[in-house]
Amino acid sequence: MICYVLGLVLFFAMASAKVQYHDFVVQETPVKRLCKSLNAITVNGQLPGPTLEVYEGDTLVVNVVNRAKYNVTVHWHGVRQMRTGWADGPEFVTQCPIRPGGSYTYRFTIRGQEGTLWWHAHSSWLRATVYGALVIRPRQGTPYPFPKPNRETPILLGEWWNRDPISVIRQATRTGAAPNVSDAYTINGQPGDLYNCSKQDTVIVPIDIGERHLLRVINAALNQELFFSVANHQLTVVGADAGYLKPFTTNVLMLGPGQTTDVLISGDQAAGRYYIAAKPYQSAQGVAFDNTTTTAILEYKSVACLPKGAAKPTPVFPSLPAFNDTATVTAFTNKLRSPRRVSVPLEIDENLFFTVGLGLNQCPPNFNSNQCQGPNGTRFTASMNNVSFVLPSNWSLLQAHKFGVPGVFTTDFPAQPPVTFDYTGNVSRSLWQPQTGTKLYKMKYGSRVQIVIQGTSIVTAENHPMHIHGYDFYILAQGFGNFNPRTDTKKFNLIDPPMRNTVGVPVNGWAVIRFVADNPGVWLMHCHLDVHISWGLAMAFVVEDGVGELESLEAPPHDLPIC
C-alpha cells in the first residue's frame, strides 16, 4: 500500500511538470533610445527579451538561432543545471560559442527552485541588450509562502550605451583603459522621464486600491550595482535569487548585477502616480560612473481612467540613498534570512580563501602608448588569488574536462593567496600585477566547501558581486577589513543564512559562503561587473563525477557547437 501511494505521488508530480519549447532568434533590431537610433542585438526583436514563465519541475527546451554578426551563448543565471552543465552557457567554459548562422538547443529541468531568475548572453558584452526574466512559480496546487498577489510584474534594471556595447569593450581592450560608462539606466528597456526623448515611453506599472502586487526585480545592468525604491510605498522582501526569505519591509533595495529580489507592494496610498526609480550604488572611489536615475511609474487604476484631456498628476519621487551610501547597503543585506532553519554544512572538506580585486599590468615592450592608457601608462587587469583568468579558444573547459583534452587548462588554482598581505590596507606595488593563466580548482563530488572571499584595495576597493555558476550557496557572514578567522568565525550565521547565487563582497571587506559540491562539471566563478570579468576576475571549479549515473555529468548533446 505504501509503495502504491508513493507511486501515485511520483506519478502526479511527474504529470504536473511540463516540457516547454521556445525559439530565441538573436538578431540586429533597430532601437531608438535617448534621441538616437542604432541597431541593437536582441532576442526575437525584443528589448528586454521574452519573459519565460515556468513551474518548478518544468523542463525548458530553448533553440537559439544566431542571426547576429557576433558569436553568442545564453546563460540561465542561477539555474542549478543539475548534471546538465552543457546547458549553462558561458562562452568557452561549458560550450563553444554559437557562430553567426549557427544554432544550439539548451535543454534543462528546473528543480527545487522557485521565484525569480533571469537569462542573458554570456559572450563579451552582448548581455547589455540580450537578457530577459525567468519566472519560476510553485508547482500547480502549491501556494506561495506569502499572501497571493493580485498582479506580478518583472522589473528588469538595465544599462544603455549610445553605441554598440561590443565596440565599447573592444576599445577598452585595445587601449588598456577603463571602458566608457553607460549613457543611461533602464527599467524594462526604457530610460524613463528624466532622460531626453524618453518621457513618452516611460514604463507604466498598474496597481489598484487594495491590490497586492509582486515586483520581481532583476539587476541586469552590466557594470553597476543599483538602489531601487518606489515612492511612498513600503517594499516587503519575500525572496531573492529563486529562494524564499523571511519577509521584512524596507524603503530601498540594493541589487548587484546578477541579483534578483522579489518584493510585495500594496495599493495602500492615495490614488495617484508614483515613481519607481533606480540609481547607482558606487562604492569605488575616484572611478567614473553613470550618475543618472532611471524611472518607471506606478499608476493607480483610477488615474489611468481620467476623463479625456484631463492632465495626469506629476508622479511623486522616492527618497533614494546617496550614491556612496554603504551603510544603507549593509543594513539591507544584514536583514536577509532564510525563512526557517537550514542545513548548513558544518564539517568542511575544502576550506578556501580567495582574494578578489583589480590590478595594473606594466605596458608590454611591444605595445605603444595608445595601448597602455591605464594609470601611469599601464593596462587594467583583475584577478583572484593573483591569477588573472584567461579563457581558452579552441575548446570549452567542460569539453576538455569530459574528453581529457590536454593543454587546455591546469588544476593548480591556489586554495589560498600565494602571498599573505594587508589585503585592505596600503598594498605594495609589487603585488599589483597578477599572473595570467587558465587555472581551475578540482573538487571531489560531495565535498563540503567554504570560501572566504576577500576584497582587496589594489588600485581601488569596491563592492564585488561574485556569482558561482551551477550552485546556490549560503552566505554565513559579511564584514569589513581583513577576514580574521579567530574573531570573525564567531559571527557566522549557521541557523538561517540566506541562500543566493550572487554575493556582494563589501567594499574593502569580505564574505563567507558554504555549499556542497553536488553538481558535477566545470563551473565558472566570477565578478558580475562585466568589465571585471573582461579583465580576468574569474576562476572555475572542476567537480568530479560521483558514483553512478545520478552523480555524473550527462553526455554532451549532439548539437553542441564546435570551436
Side-chain angles (χ1 to χ4, degrees):
M1 181 62 181
I2 292 174
C3 291
Y4 174 73
V5 172
L6 287 175
L8 278 178
V9 170
L10 181 61
F11 171 79
F12 283 117
M14 292 175 66
S16 65
K18 296 180 179 178
V19 179
Q20 289 199 29
Y21 296 88
H22 297 273
D23 290 309
F24 277 14
V25 178
V26 181
Q27 60 191 26
E28 282 195 8
T29 302
V31 174
K32 186 173 184 179
R33 297 289 187 276
L34 310 181
C35 320
K36 185 176 180 180
S37 294
L38 56 82
N39 286 333
I41 308 299
T42 67
V43 168
N44 298 352
Q46 301 175 39
L47 180 59
T51 293
L52 301 185
E53 300 184 26
V54 302
Y55 291 94
E56 191 276 326
D58 283 359
T59 295
L60 273 170
V61 180
V62 185
N63 182 43
V64 177
V65 178
N66 186 6
R67 293 182 183 161
K69 59 185 177 181
Y70 300 119
N71 294 337
V72 72
T73 64
V74 177
H75 170 52
W76 314 92
H77 185 108
V79 174
R80 283 296 314 273
Q81 298 289 2
M82 299 300 294
R83 302 178 53 235
T84 54
W86 307 105
D88 189 46
E91 183 178 66
F92 294 114
V93 178
T94 60
Q95 67 169 97
C96 297
I98 307 168
R99 305 290 183 185
S103 66
Y104 177 51
T105 300
Y106 294 87
R107 301 170 177 86
F108 56 94
T109 300
I110 297 173
R111 297 187 180 95
Q113 295 180 285
E114 296 175 14
T116 306
L117 295 175
W118 62 302
W119 57 265
H120 61 80
H122 214 296
S123 300
S124 186
W125 275 22
L126 280 185
R127 81 170 178 89
T129 52
V130 178
Y131 63 89
L134 174 56
V135 173
I136 309 168
R137 296 197 172 88
R139 288 185 187 240
Q140 292 180 333
T142 304
Y144 290 123
F146 47 79
K148 184 178 180 180
N150 305 98
R151 298 178 192 256
E152 299 183 14
T153 301
I155 301 288
L156 292 107
L157 310 177
E159 212 167 354
W160 176 260
W161 278 261
N162 270 333
R163 55 185 288 205
D164 181 356
I166 300 294
S167 69
V168 175
I169 186 58
R170 284 181 176 175
Q171 179 185 6
T173 302
R174 188 170 58 250
T175 64
N180 292 340
V181 300
S182 56
D183 295 288
Y185 302 110
T186 58
I187 294 177
N188 291 354
Q190 295 293 341
D193 280 12
L194 306 185
Y195 297 92
N196 291 335
C197 307
S198 302
K199 185 169 185 176
Q200 69 277 12
D201 295 314
T202 298
V203 170
I204 304 295
V205 178
I207 197 168
D208 205 357
I209 297 290
E211 195 172 70
R212 188 180 298 111
H213 200 136
L214 177 63
L215 302 181
R216 300 178 177 273
V217 188
I218 300 165
N219 186 350
L222 245 69
N223 292 314
Q224 195 61 60
E225 291 151 320
L226 294 166
F227 289 116
F228 175 88
S229 188
V230 181
N232 289 19
H233 288 72
Q234 286 280 304
L235 309 173
T236 300
V237 176
V238 294
D241 291 2
Y244 296 118
L245 294 171
K246 198 168 290 179
F248 67 91
T249 58
T250 180
N251 293 319
V252 65
L253 313 177
M254 197 291 284
L255 298 91
Q259 293 183 324
T260 75
T261 306
D262 293 343
V263 297
L264 290 171
I265 62 171
S266 296
D268 56 6
Q269 297 299 303
R273 306 173 82 222
Y274 300 85
Y275 274 125
I276 300 169
K279 65 173 287 190
Y281 165 54
Q282 178 67 9
S283 59
Q285 294 185 356
V287 174
F289 68 101
D290 176 1
N291 190 17
T292 59
T293 301
T294 180
T295 56
I297 297 173
L298 183 73
E299 184 173 82
Y300 279 74
K301 185 178 178 181
S302 55
V303 175
C305 299
L306 285 173
K308 188 174 182 180
K312 291 184 178 181
T314 300
V316 180
F317 206 86
S319 175
L320 285 161
F323 71 86
N324 59 353
D325 190 347
T326 296
T328 291
V329 175
T330 304
F332 173 72
T333 54
N334 284 345
K335 293 178 183 176
L336 303 177
R337 294 283 186 273
S338 288
R340 60 192 66 84
R341 189 183 186 103
V342 295
S343 181
V344 181
L346 299 179
E347 300 294 324
I348 301 300
D349 303 303
E350 298 281 358
N351 196 355
L352 309 177
F353 189 104
F354 290 173
T355 57
V356 298
L358 305 186
L360 296 174
N361 283 332
Q362 295 300 315
C363 193
N366 58 326
F367 279 38
N368 60 45
S369 59
N370 289 334
Q371 297 170 287
C372 298
Q373 295 183 31
N376 300 316
T378 60
R379 293 177 59 85
F380 275 108
T381 184
S383 66
M384 296 177 64
N385 275 0
N386 202 46
V387 179
S388 188
F389 192 67
V390 179
L391 286 169
S393 57
N394 295 323
W395 295 87
S396 75
L397 296 173
L398 188 58
Q399 286 173 301
H401 163 62
K402 178 70 174 178
F403 302 123
V405 181
V408 177
F409 64 84
T410 59
T411 55
D412 57 345
F413 185 86
Q416 308 288 326
V419 177
T420 301
F421 59 97
D422 182 1
Y423 307 111
T424 57
N426 192 7
V427 182
S428 167
R429 290 292 179 117
S430 64
L431 298 173
W432 283 37
Q433 180 160 319
Q435 301 175 359
T436 57
T438 310
K439 297 176 182 286
L440 279 59
Y441 189 88
K442 183 178 285 189
M443 297 190 292
K444 293 185 182 300
Y445 182 92
S447 296
R448 295 159 295 186
V449 184
Q450 174 175 293
I451 310 177
V452 177
I453 312 172
Q454 174 69 61
T456 67
S457 58
I458 297 174
V459 183
T460 184
E462 63 185 295
N463 187 301
H464 293 278
M466 299 300 298
H467 172 50
I468 302 181
H469 289 230
Y471 285 92
D472 290 324
F473 46 75
Y474 290 113
I475 304 174
L476 303 192
Q478 294 161 280
F480 295 97
N482 299 331
F483 177 77
N484 185 330
R486 290 189 300 277
T487 57
D488 291 330
T489 304
K490 299 173 184 176
K491 303 172 186 175
F492 286 4
N493 176 5
L494 300 174
I495 306 299
D496 59 353
M499 179 176 274
R500 305 295 301 262
N501 62 57
T502 305
V503 57
V505 179
V507 55
N508 253 335
W510 50 267
V512 180
I513 64 173
R514 285 187 189 176
F515 61 95
V516 176
D518 59 358
N519 194 8
V522 175
W523 304 106
L524 189 65
M525 178 179 182
H526 66 93
C527 182
H528 223 279
L529 302 175
D530 270 29
V531 63
H532 289 180
I533 188 175
S534 301
W535 288 337
L537 210 168
M539 57 82 64
F541 295 103
V542 178
V543 179
E544 297 176 317
D545 286 346
V547 178
E549 181 182 1
L550 295 182
E551 294 183 358
S552 300
L553 178 69
E554 290 184 357
H558 66 88
D559 62 339
L560 189 71
I562 59 174
C563 284

